[in-house]
Amino acid sequence: MIDLELSNQEFNHLRTLIYQKSGIYLHNGKKDLVRARLRKRLYETGVKNFSEYYNFLISKVNEEELISFLNAISTNHTGFFREEKHFDYLEKEIIPFYKKNRTKLDLNTLKIWSAGCSSGEEAYSIAISVSEATCSDTDFKIKILASDLSTKMLSMAMDGVYPKNNVSNIPENILKKYFQKGRGACNDYVRIKSSLKQIIEFRHLNLMELFQFNDKFNIIFCRNVMIYFDKIAQEKLVSKLYDALYDKGYLFIGHSESLMGIKHKFKYTRPTIYLKNP
């Protein structure tokens, strides 16, 4: 018999582990959410209660279950061209600037990171915007890294298959150019075309861990991620994002987020868009 009662002590142990491993801060009001999201993990691991599950998580041999644990806790809400003004600015202002100044900036490949890409809609929206702005300029190379804490979301992102309802806001000409419509049993779905997929690398990455990149980025999208962090974790992350950018690189955050009250070195450009000074 599995005991699904979650004591305050058990909740404190679990939320401390969540914070340590992901930066996500859960206040006391999230106790029922944690209990509900972890019920399945108790059944699948065969443990008897939340205390036993916690001990199971922190044992060194259960790295795989730790990922499943964080998958269960992570909140994922996204959509194609969510917060549309960001993509307009990317396509009409930033990409033309980089194209015009690529020789001066010694820019061979534009590198973009979608940090917290969830099920992939943001990364594909970035890829579409950049592709439209470059107009198939073969001399202007693009590489996009799309990362997420949730391996479940990353699997969906790599598949690139979405219900038709998810793309209802996308103009028909863009749909024809970058999506394949499903047929038969898949009639209610669309798939991202391989030509768009090939410029994106999907990777499991924890934003709280040390970044191990071979190079820096020109643009980072880290949107609607920091809303789950406390101020200490936010400042650490923003500092790491600053260091991960080239000079004159851009950081996009979510419209429900702000860097006000956080120590940082970014220059404000416009709401939720920041520039790294040379």
Side-chain angles (χ1 to χ4, degrees):
M1 178 71 71
I2 295 176
D3 181 4
L4 294 176
E5 289 300 315
L6 179 63
S7 70
N8 289 336
Q9 184 181 39
E10 290 168 336
F11 173 64
N12 286 332
H13 285 158
L14 288 167
R15 71 172 175 176
T16 298
L17 183 62
I18 291 165
Y19 181 75
Q20 290 171 343
K21 296 297 183 180
S22 71
I24 298 172
Y25 173 74
L26 299 174
H27 56 74
N28 290 333
K30 297 294 185 179
K31 180 179 173 181
D32 287 340
L33 178 144
V34 169
R35 177 171 51 198
R37 291 192 177 184
L38 294 182
R39 287 177 61 182
K40 185 177 179 181
R41 302 310 319 146
L42 265 65
Y43 283 112
E44 293 197 358
T45 55
V47 300
K48 297 178 181 178
N49 52 53
F50 284 103
S51 288
E52 191 173 316
Y53 181 62
Y54 172 76
N55 291 329
F56 183 71
L57 283 171
I58 62 175
S59 63
K60 294 182 180 180
V61 296
N62 287 300
E63 197 67 29
E64 187 175 333
E65 179 56 30
L66 187 61
I67 292 173
S68 297
F69 166 64
L70 294 175
N71 282 349
I73 293 298
S74 301
T75 300
N76 297 281
H77 176 67
T78 187
F80 285 100
F81 298 99
R82 185 184 180 195
E83 300 177 359
E84 190 174 358
K85 290 182 180 180
H86 281 168
F87 299 99
D88 287 339
Y89 190 69
L90 175 66
E91 181 179 339
K92 297 173 183 176
E93 301 290 339
I94 295 179
I95 301 303
F97 167 79
Y98 279 128
K99 284 183 66 178
K100 182 179 179 180
N101 295 282
R102 62 184 169 190
T103 302
K104 180 180 177 181
L105 296 172
D106 192 26
L107 184 64
N108 295 317
T109 302
L110 188 71
K111 296 171 183 174
I112 305 173
W113 178 18
S114 170
C117 69
S118 189
S119 47
E121 288 92 333
E122 177 180 271
Y124 291 124
S125 298
I126 293 170
I128 291 170
S129 296
V130 172
S131 297
E132 288 296 293
T134 55
C135 300
S136 301
D137 184 347
T138 55
D139 293 329
F140 196 73
K141 297 179 181 178
I142 305 293
K143 286 187 178 179
I144 299 172
L145 171 67
S147 70
D148 202 82
L149 178 66
S150 170
T151 54
K152 180 181 178 181
M153 290 297 107
L154 279 174
S155 179
M156 294 172 62
M158 287 187 281
D159 286 343
V161 177
Y162 303 95
K164 280 185 178 179
N165 289 342
N166 290 29
V167 299
S168 59
N169 64 319
I170 299 178
E172 187 64 27
N173 64 312
I174 298 296
L175 280 174
K176 288 181 179 179
K177 194 171 182 179
Y178 298 105
F179 294 81
Q180 294 174 319
K181 292 183 178 180
R183 296 181 179 179
C186 298
N187 186 56
D188 293 329
Y189 293 85
V190 295
R191 180 190 295 274
I192 300 290
K193 289 186 177 180
S194 58
S195 58
L196 199 64
K197 281 187 175 183
Q198 67 186 10
I199 64 173
I200 305 176
E201 174 195 351
F202 290 98
R203 187 190 305 178
H204 177 252
L205 192 148
N206 188 332
L207 293 175
M208 289 296 101
E209 295 177 353
L210 179 68
F211 295 168
Q212 295 182 328
F213 301 124
N214 294 326
D215 210 344
K216 295 188 177 185
F217 299 94
N218 303 103
I219 302 165
I220 297 176
F221 278 68
C222 187
R223 307 187 308 163
N224 305 302
V225 173
M226 290 187 289
I227 54 175
Y228 303 106
F229 296 175
D230 66 3
K231 186 177 178 180
I232 295 173
Q234 289 173 351
E235 288 188 349
K236 287 182 180 178
L237 177 58
V238 169
S239 177
K240 289 165 66 178
L241 294 174
Y242 186 91
D243 291 339
L245 279 168
Y246 281 117
D247 290 342
K248 296 186 179 180
Y250 287 88
L251 171 66
F252 289 76
I253 64 174
H255 285 155
S256 59
E257 298 170 317
S258 172
L259 298 190
M260 289 183 64
I262 298 175
K263 293 179 182 178
H264 66 87
K265 296 184 284 187
F266 281 102
K267 178 183 177 183
Y268 173 88
T269 300
R270 56 178 59 198
T272 66
I273 302 175
Y274 296 84
L275 180 67
K276 178 175 179 176
N277 283 324

